[in-house]
Amino acid sequence: MKYPLFLMALTALLIAGCDWIDEVIDPEKGLVEMTVSKLKAAPGDEITITLFNRGEKTVYLEGCNQFYYSTKSDTGWVDHTMVVCVWEGYEVPVPAGSAHTQKFVVPMMAGTLRFYAPVYRGCKPDLPISQAECVTMHRYYSPDVVVYPPRVPR
């Protein structure tokens, strides 16, 4: 009888504490946001992806691939690069109060996709991200985009 009460109390504490834990892990979580221009699309449609930096300091994106996309499968999300890179390139700064935008053409597919960006903080400027000695990196995700199957002419 005592154990179910203990488990309910523990569960309630964990649920209530999740927001607090998120703030400790990523104190600027609400200050970086990713949006997409469409939540429903078809193959060949163009989607604009925007990352907003509403924080007080510059954040950095990777040089070659600023954004990635993931497709939903039966076993979870499968990550894909948007560009095949020979060299990582120099980091891309997103100053406080600004945004970074990129266009994406939906591939031939049906299902759900989303975009994400690894966002780095506390980096030395004008270097490849692997050499910039960044303090933190967090992934930020866009809302999911539903991709309808292409229409087959009759």
Side-chain angles (χ1 to χ4, degrees):
M1 183 89 174
K2 292 181 182 179
Y3 292 111
L5 182 60
F6 170 75
L7 291 176
M8 288 189 321
L10 181 61
T11 303
L13 284 172
L14 288 173
I15 291 171
C18 286
D19 289 339
W20 177 80
I21 291 170
D22 284 347
E23 286 181 24
V24 170
I25 293 171
D26 184 7
E28 295 190 21
K29 183 177 182 180
L31 300 178
V32 174
E33 179 187 7
M34 284 188 70
T35 63
V36 290
S37 59
K38 296 180 179 183
L39 296 176
K40 296 177 184 176
D45 285 356
E46 187 175 82
I47 296 174
T48 301
I49 312 149
T50 305
L51 180 130
F52 295 96
N53 177 8
R54 294 187 171 94
E56 296 178 5
K57 296 180 181 175
T58 298
V59 297
Y60 297 89
L61 303 174
E62 295 177 358
C64 182
N65 278 294
Q66 290 87 51
F67 299 125
Y68 296 80
Y69 74 98
S70 303
T71 52
K72 195 171 193 175
S73 72
D74 293 339
T75 58
W77 291 96
V78 179
D79 295 340
H80 307 276
T81 60
M82 292 175 130
V83 178
V84 176
C85 303
V86 177
W87 179 61
E88 69 177 306
Y90 289 101
E91 64 199 3
V92 176
V94 183
S98 68
H100 181 78
T101 300
Q102 185 173 337
K103 296 195 181 294
F104 175 79
V105 177
V106 177
M108 191 62 70
M109 63 166 284
T112 304
L113 63 84
R114 69 179 177 187
F115 302 94
Y116 72 90
V119 175
Y120 297 81
R121 291 186 176 89
C123 305
K124 292 181 179 177
D126 304 319
L127 293 168
I129 208 77
S130 64
Q131 298 170 18
E133 299 177 11
C134 303
V135 175
T136 62
M137 186 281 286
H138 293 283
R139 275 187 178 189
Y140 291 90
Y141 294 89
S142 74
D144 293 354
V145 177
V146 176
V147 179
Y148 293 102
R151 292 189 170 193
V152 178
R154 294 182 194 208

